[in-house]
Amino acid sequence: MALTLFNSLSRQNELFVPLVDMNVGMYSCGPTVYNYPHIGNYRAYITSDILKRYLTYRGYTVHHIMNITDIDDKTIRDSQKEGKSLKEFTEFYTKGFFADRDTLHILPPEKYTKATEYIPHMVRMIETLLEKGYAYKTEDGSVYFDIKKDAEYGKLSHFKLTDLKENAEGRLAKKDEYEKENASDFALWKAWDESDGEVFWETTLGKGRPGWHIECSAMSIDTLGEGFDIHTGGVDNIFPHHENEIAQSECATGKPFSKYFIHNEHLMVDGAKMSKSAGNFYTLRDLDERGIDAIAFRMWLMTAHYRTKTNFTLETVTGSQTALNRLKETLQGYDTEQGKIVESYKETFISYMDNDLDTPKALALIWEIIKDPTLTPQDKRATIIDFDRVFGLGLSEIHEEIIPEEVTRLAEERELARKEKEWQKSDDLRAQIESLGYEIKDTNSGYKISKI
Ligand SMILES: [Zn+2]
């Protein structure tokens, strides 16, 4: 048995072979922190979480990096609207994202890279592109990538530049986001203008700020090396974001960028694209108000393959909530004595997940195990909890779990720091607790620790 993944570069299921034996370098495009993410955004993070958990389950060591886009067109626009500094504004939404991540049982990456902390790396990369002749400066001091110089431009989106060349000729995209039909030279560095207000860096390229696409190239290469294994994101990232990342990175380094690109499909709501104006926009808070656990939402997402469009309705997610409740009750009724993982089911589980992460089939296996009259409750429980290392439904916590002493000590210390209003210390301790694989939640009756 071997893992195959659908690679957007070849548009085929490919055997997964990492560059370095049993080690995986994986980069996920993270959130642009300018509002609370909606449930559609979380499909991407849950997909990469399941992929990461499964690679770990299969024995790989995964080096996972996720970025936080804290500088781009949208963060500048909205921080100005609220009259806040970019830092204050983006930190608020970064915290919100982390809280949601924990609620959804998404494992934190090895490292979060904040775009504003990588400006010198971006500048160096842009200088290399200028030196190699792949980029040029315009009169206002901005730097653009010359897509005509890159013979492979379009290889991820699968279009030929010559088909679009007539339109592309001479056109510049200063905005970070645009459509494929408008393929054009895109901004690597945006010279300061009044609309940027206080947001700029004085660099060897002049006074300005980076374009969005160069951010991920610089951060992924700095943390994972010039070539790495997996890049993830939503299908909406394919063009222009990932296409441009590939172009910049490969032209700058002369080496292949990411070997596999894994993209999840959109999540529709009530049959339409989610939007505030259509009144079908949900955040995790909205689900909570309707009595839907974040984990029921996670489970619901896994009932569809990550590459199919799914249609979210309150009715179907309520069905998953009922199923999750029933599953928990069933497990609660089982003997907690140590059982054995049933090998035949494990093999089936692996064969489904090896096939481009077929979670709908893998998840359905749980119900087959529960119904199997030949298995003891202990073995059923042990097998389901083993699979849950990948599903992340928190099934192992159903029975009272023993929290390690070290975690309890850190939690007590954090409680003390909170009482003293030492927020930074309290945040640091939370991070330490998370690095040990536990999360801490503050409730009216004190803190609660659970396994991530
Ligand atoms: Zn990105």
Side-chain angles (χ1 to χ4, degrees), residues 293-313:
D293 288 354
I295 298 306
F297 170 66
R298 183 179 169 110
M299 187 177 184
W300 173 79
L301 266 182
M302 290 189 289
T303 60
H305 190 267
Y306 75 92
R307 283 195 300 108
T308 57
K309 275 204 180 101
T310 50
N311 186 32
F312 175 92
T313 63

Side-chain angles (χ1 to χ4, degrees), residues 155-394:
K155 72 175 173 184
L156 179 68
S157 327
H158 299 263
F159 66 80
K160 283 211 164 44
L161 198 54
T162 43
D163 300 342
L164 299 163
K165 206 166 177 182
E166 209 177 313
N167 292 329
E169 205 82 52
R171 187 160 49 195
L172 302 181
K174 192 161 187 184
K175 276 196 181 149
D176 289 327
E177 291 176 81
Y178 50 92
E179 299 299 317
K180 194 157 79 181
E181 295 67 34
N182 293 323
S184 42
D185 292 355
F186 56 91
L188 298 165
W189 185 257
K190 302 181 181 191
W192 182 85
D193 67 29
E194 269 175 25
S195 66
D196 290 336
E198 300 291 303
V199 182
F200 61 84
W201 283 263
E202 290 281 7
T203 72
T204 45
L205 295 168
K207 178 178 172 177
R209 62 179 173 100
W212 172 40
H213 315 297
I214 195 77
E215 297 180 1
C216 283
S217 288
M219 292 187 279
S220 56
I221 286 177
D222 181 66
T223 48
L224 295 170
E226 290 182 341
F228 53 90
D229 301 291
I230 303 176
H231 198 313
T232 72
V235 284
D236 48 324
N237 282 147
I238 294 177
F239 191 89
H241 189 47
H242 290 169
E243 191 71 62
N244 292 353
E245 274 188 47
I246 295 173
Q248 302 155 156
S249 307
E250 298 192 347
C251 289
T253 66
K255 293 178 189 151
F257 182 48
S258 179
K259 193 170 173 190
Y260 303 86
F261 271 85
I262 310 294
H263 292 109
N264 62 280
E265 255 298 344
H266 284 300
L267 181 132
M268 312 286 278
V269 175
D270 300 330
K273 203 177 165 204
M274 205 176 340
S275 77
K276 278 194 175 144
S277 53
N280 64 354
F281 188 94
Y282 291 102
T283 63
L284 285 188
R285 285 154 197 80
D286 299 326
L287 294 190
D288 194 41
E289 279 167 16
R290 288 166 173 81
I292 307 292
D293 288 354
I295 298 306
F297 170 66
R298 183 179 169 110
M299 187 177 184
W300 173 79
L301 266 182
M302 290 189 289
T303 60
H305 190 267
Y306 75 92
R307 283 195 300 108
T308 57
K309 275 204 180 101
T310 50
N311 186 32
F312 175 92
T313 63
L314 279 175
E315 214 178 351
T316 53
V317 80
T318 304
S320 287
Q321 181 73 62
T322 309
L324 179 64
N325 294 347
R326 209 173 65 207
L327 174 59
K328 285 183 171 176
E329 275 164 30
T330 307
L331 287 178
Q332 241 151 8
Y334 288 162
D335 198 328
T336 55
E337 236 174 82
Q338 194 60 46
K340 283 192 307 297
I341 297 167
V342 184
E343 280 308 317
S344 57
Y345 276 106
K346 186 173 175 125
E347 273 173 30
T348 311
F349 173 75
I350 289 176
S351 73
Y352 290 154
M353 290 301 289
D354 267 358
N355 183 20
D356 194 29
L357 313 177
D358 194 343
T359 54
K361 279 191 181 162
L363 201 60
L365 210 51
I366 289 185
W367 305 107
E368 280 182 40
I369 292 171
I370 288 173
K371 282 189 217 136
D372 190 333
T374 66
L375 303 179
T376 67
Q378 293 95 317
D379 290 355
K380 287 182 182 182
R381 186 172 179 277
T383 311
I384 292 169
I385 284 176
D386 178 61
F387 297 174
D388 198 43
R389 285 161 54 202
V390 178
F391 296 137
L393 300 173

